[in-house]
Amino acid sequence: ILGGNVVDERHGGPVSIGYGRYGPGQSLTETMAVDDTMIILEGRLSVSTEAGTLEAGPGDIVYMPKGEAVTIRSDAGALTAFVTYPHLRPVHD
């Protein structure tokens, strides 16, 4: 999973804004360290929590609160934009 911040604490704001790219067959399981709002720009993702699984495609918005355990999966790949509070530290695969 590739991602990067476009706006973050270096720009003086309280949020991080960036992009994420999920390759075909990729998945990410983590407990959210920040409040994360993800917008799907291309492709499709499934986001699973204890409450169930949400399928999301272009134009859909997914909110993942801090402390929630999530698994994000992409069968064919996806491009997302995100806004987090507080700042998200970039993850490099």
Side-chain angles (χ1 to χ4, degrees):
I1 299 164
L2 297 175
N5 294 348
V6 177
V7 174
D8 56 28
E9 66 272 20
R10 297 170 295 174
H11 303 95
V15 299
S16 290
I17 303 169
Y19 290 96
R21 182 173 298 279
Y22 294 79
Q26 282 192 311
S27 69
L28 170 68
T29 299
E30 69 177 304
T31 299
M32 301 306 297
V34 296
D35 287 303
D36 188 340
T37 302
M38 178 172 61
I39 303 101
I40 291 69
L41 302 175
E42 297 175 3
R44 296 195 66 76
L45 293 173
S46 65
V47 180
S48 300
T49 68
E50 283 186 2
T53 299
L54 171 70
E55 299 291 331
D60 289 336
I61 298 171
V62 179
Y63 172 64
M64 298 167 286
K66 182 177 181 177
E68 185 169 52
V70 301
T71 297
I72 303 169
R73 288 188 181 89
S74 174
D75 290 333
L79 176 64
T80 66
F82 61 81
V83 177
T84 70
Y85 178 83
H87 297 290
L88 176 69
R89 301 291 172 242
V91 175
H92 299 285
D93 246 359

